[in-house]
Amino acid sequence: MISAGIDIGSLWTKVVVLNETGVRGSVVRRTGMHMLETARECFRDACAEAVLSADDVQKVVATGYGRVSVPWATKSITEITCHARGINHLRDSVRTLIDIGGQDSKVI
Amino acid sequence: MSTVVENRLETPKKVKGLSDRFYEELREAHDHGEKVVWCLGPVPFIPMVAMNVRFVHLENYGARIAARRVAAPIHRIAEDWGLSKNACSYLRGAQGMSLCFAQNIPVPPEVEPYRLPKPDMVVCMNYCVSAVNLAETFARELRIPTLIIDGLYHFEDDARENYLPYARQNMKEYIAFLEENVGEPMNYDRLSEAVALLRQLAILRDSVVQHAKDIPAPFTAFEMLLSMGGGALWAGRPESIEYMTALKEEVEQRVKNKIAAIPNEKMRLMWDFIMVWPKVGYMAKLFASHGAAVVWAPYSQTAQAYNIETLDPANPVEALAWEVTFINTMRHIDHRIRSYVKAVEEFSIDGMVGHSPKTCRKIPISQPVYLEEVSKRTGVPYVIFEADHSDPDFYSPAAVDTRLVAFMEMIESRKARAKGGA
């Protein structure tokens, strides 16, 4: 299954496109004033890097401050939950995560 | 926010009109030769109702101007005078209004429709030191009589009877204060009638609140909090009975027809402490959009005691004395922990949401301690977030929303795991 994650932060927008084997494409770009446009461009470019079209992506999860601004997202989840799930997947012994973001910092 | 699906009750929609009428009658008080009392804390309203005295509960006023989004300009007047922005935002609203009278400061245009009449006297129950300080400030700057009633904090589990003699004396002094400053004796027949209505209100309210235990819940705690404007605000008057009877009938009809407040109720939450009044509508939608029914908010109940068994209309002064022996916001932490543990079970609570107001630290100072203890005893998680009850400047949407939504995501995940899902 091809899926994508879109993290629209207050300063940076990050997109990854991945499948079962790992990351196929990724983009990091300044969010700027127009977060929806930035999200669209980043998603398009990440798909292009993965040599895929947007229609090939079956699941899109949006997170970050701008997560509600992604109309094509299958789901929007807070970055707190995404961080927790992500680090649990990569290294399940980790119990504390510090997110130093553009707008605020969190300890999870 | 995802699509909001909510079935709101019709009866709470009457609260706006009732609240507006209450405040209109208050503003016209002096035109009708009625005295005006500014109240702070859980002061019993009934003696004032019995003497045709118009009153404002300044904390209710603070909630009203916050919900109507006109609090900031009146806060500025108090802040310009020197009150810290970290001071209670309810009290900043009250002091701002007082200064308009004391220093002939024009009421800001946005606040004009919500202007209070100048008080003839102040009555304060000492549930909060800042409130007492403010009552004394009003006395000095407005040159009006002020009564501070000792609210009897319970430091341990103690029989209410032990506090009764002191409470009785306090209520007699309160009545004497009103008589002296109104210039008329207390009408004890009216006082008895008001106690009878208060008792009826308490019975009706309890019968409504019991249905918050139903699964799914037929109404949310937001609606009960709003209903304080239809019930508690009119305590001792027929309007409170009309409102609460209508609410009871509507809720019972819902239960009969199996209508849920949140049709896709996925989790049930408890809200601890005051509401974020500038954002009450937004908060209701935020939780509803994630299938979370906020079913219980102790603050909507426990700020007003209404102990049915001791509300005897035949002995109204004694009934008032019993009321003030047992104000739930003035009881020790162990009592709160026990009552919350009981509520978690009775209301089938999946999570506790603690609002820690930036400008009210004294009363919820033990919030992290008691929520942690309740969580340990029940296994139910909690989150504490910082905002404010009346000052919109202390609400950070990104920070608050993210924390609350993440909390709901966590509960959903826990419930799925408990059922054997991912």
Side-chain angles (χ1 to χ4, degrees):
Chain A
M1 182 176 71
I2 311 284
S3 55
I6 305 177
D7 179 355
I8 306 180
S10 58
L11 283 184
W12 297 93
T13 292
K14 290 80 71 179
V15 177
V16 290
V17 175
L18 60 161
N19 65 5
E20 292 80 5
T21 59
V23 175
R24 298 274 303 273
S26 67
V27 168
V28 179
R29 198 164 290 162
R30 280 270 193 191
T31 300
M33 297 289 291
H34 307 288
M35 60 174 68
L36 177 54
E37 272 176 40
T38 304
R40 276 198 215 281
E41 285 168 13
C42 290
F43 181 66
R44 180 199 63 206
D45 293 348
C47 288
E49 188 178 294
V51 193
L52 294 167
S53 76
D55 292 337
D56 294 325
V57 180
Q58 292 150 294
K59 203 169 190 175
V60 178
V61 173
T63 188
Y65 177 56
R67 64 184 179 276
V68 298
S69 305
V70 183
W72 69 95
T74 323
K75 215 170 180 180
S76 82
I77 302 178
T78 63
E79 60 271 34
I80 293 175
T81 298
C82 287
H83 281 321
R85 291 215 170 202
I87 198 64
N88 191 251
H89 174 74
L90 289 172
R91 199 167 283 189
D92 63 8
S93 60
V94 171
R95 283 291 170 267
T96 306
L97 191 150
I98 302 172
D99 170 19
I100 301 176
Q103 181 170 247
D104 59 12
S105 295
K106 304 178 198 54
V107 176
I108 302 162
Chain B
M1 209 184 297
S2 48
T3 309
V4 180
V5 185
E6 260 186 292
N7 288 325
R8 291 204 175 170
L9 289 168
E10 288 300 310
T11 309
K13 292 177 186 172
K14 297 179 187 176
V15 170
K16 183 178 183 301
L18 280 167
S19 177
D20 287 346
R21 181 155 76 88
F22 181 93
Y23 279 90
E24 198 180 307
E25 288 177 2
L26 171 68
R27 262 201 307 278
E28 293 170 358
H30 290 142
D31 296 338
H32 301 298
E34 293 167 336
K35 297 288 188 183
V36 170
V37 180
W38 282 11
C39 299
L40 286 157
V43 174
F45 296 161
I46 304 300
M48 293 182 285
V49 170
M51 293 183 79
N52 274 341
V53 166
R54 298 292 174 176
F55 58 90
V56 56
H57 184 234
L58 288 169
E59 290 86 342
N60 175 263
Y61 178 67
R64 176 177 165 81
I65 58 175
R68 305 286 171 101
R69 302 202 184 112
V70 296
I74 200 76
H75 289 171
R76 296 278 174 274
I77 293 176
E79 289 156 25
D80 289 345
W81 171 75
L83 202 54
S84 165
K85 194 154 168 74
N86 285 329
C88 171
S89 50
Y90 279 166
L91 302 187
R92 265 185 283 140
Q95 175 59 355
M97 188 55 62
S98 177
L99 286 165
C100 289
F101 295 116
Q103 297 186 359
N104 288 321
I105 298 171
V107 173
E110 317 90 306
V111 184
E112 183 59 44
Y114 303 95
R115 162 202 277 271
L116 292 175
K118 189 177 175 184
D120 298 294
M121 62 195 100
V122 176
V123 178
C124 171
M125 186 166 275
N126 69 340
Y127 77 117
C128 164
V129 167
S130 299
V132 173
N133 289 345
L134 192 65
E136 291 171 343
T137 302
F138 292 154
R140 281 194 305 277
E141 65 193 10
L142 298 174
R143 295 196 175 87
I144 51 175
T146 295
L147 176 71
I148 312 291
I149 304 174
D150 190 3
L152 297 171
Y153 191 89
H154 289 236
F155 289 95
E156 56 188 15
D157 285 333
D158 201 355
R160 290 170 69 190
E161 289 81 355
N162 294 348
Y163 296 81
L164 193 59
Y166 186 51
R168 195 184 290 127
Q169 184 57 35
N170 285 345
M171 288 299 98
K172 287 180 180 173
E173 283 179 12
Y174 172 31
I175 290 172
F177 174 82
L178 289 175
E179 287 176 328
E180 183 187 339
N181 291 290
V182 172
E184 284 171 19
M186 168 58 73
N187 183 332
Y188 283 97
D189 288 339
R190 275 207 71 196
L191 188 63
S192 292
E193 283 166 16
V195 169
L197 287 172
L198 185 62
R199 186 170 190 280
Q200 197 180 347
L201 173 67
I203 293 169
L204 286 166
R205 186 191 69 183
D206 279 10
S207 69
V208 170
V209 168
Q210 292 309 310
H211 287 296
K213 299 174 186 173
D214 296 352
I215 299 174
F219 60 90
T220 68
F222 292 99
E223 292 169 306
M224 275 317 286
L225 282 163
L226 279 172
S227 287
M228 288 197 292
L233 192 64
W234 295 86
R237 294 168 72 176
E239 287 86 346
S240 66
I241 306 304
E242 275 170 41
Y243 179 84
M244 205 51 73
T245 302
L247 187 67
K248 178 175 183 289
E249 283 170 2
E250 189 182 359
V251 166
E252 285 173 349
Q253 197 59 32
R254 277 209 164 184
V255 170
K256 188 176 162 197
N257 296 333
K258 297 184 180 10
I259 297 172
I262 311 293
N264 63 335
E265 183 182 294
K266 293 183 199 169
M267 67 190 80
R268 298 162 64 85
L269 304 179
M270 184 184 97
W271 179 285
D272 181 48
F273 204 42
I274 317 179
M275 179 44 59
V276 181
W277 291 111
K279 290 284 182 185
V280 59
Y282 177 80
M283 285 276 157
K285 289 193 180 79
L286 180 70
F287 288 104
S289 69
H290 292 274
V294 180
V295 300
W296 176 233
Y299 186 76
S300 70
Q301 297 286 106
T302 58
Q304 325 125 50
Y306 304 166
N307 301 283
I308 295 168
E309 64 274 10
T310 50
L311 280 170
D312 178 8
N315 291 297
V317 178
E318 197 73 353
L320 287 172
W322 276 112
E323 278 298 289
V324 299
T325 59
F326 233 37
I327 295 170
N328 276 302
T329 45
M330 299 183 74
R331 298 184 69 186
H332 60 88
I333 192 174
D334 287 342
H335 168 77
R336 189 185 293 267
I337 290 168
R338 286 199 305 268
S339 67
Y340 280 22
V341 167
K342 190 172 169 219
V344 162
E345 190 187 324
E346 287 184 345
F347 292 89
S348 308
I349 300 293
D350 297 307
M352 299 179 284
V353 177
H355 168 217
S356 179
K358 172 76 175 171
T359 68
C360 179
R361 295 302 195 201
K362 294 188 190 74
I363 294 174
I365 193 168
S366 54
Q367 188 180 54
V369 172
Y370 62 72
L371 287 182
E372 175 69 20
E373 184 60 26
V374 174
S375 182
K376 271 190 198 151
R377 294 189 194 184
T378 61
V380 163
Y382 68 96
V383 67
I384 295 176
F385 74 96
E386 190 175 89
D388 197 67
H389 42 304
S390 183
D391 193 333
D393 291 348
F394 290 124
Y395 186 87
S396 166
V400 173
D401 290 9
T402 302
R403 293 202 72 181
L404 294 180
V405 174
F407 181 63
M408 289 186 276
E409 285 168 354
M410 179 187 75
I411 293 176
E412 205 175 339
S413 174
R414 278 166 63 120
K415 286 174 76 95
R417 269 205 315 277
K419 276 188 189 162

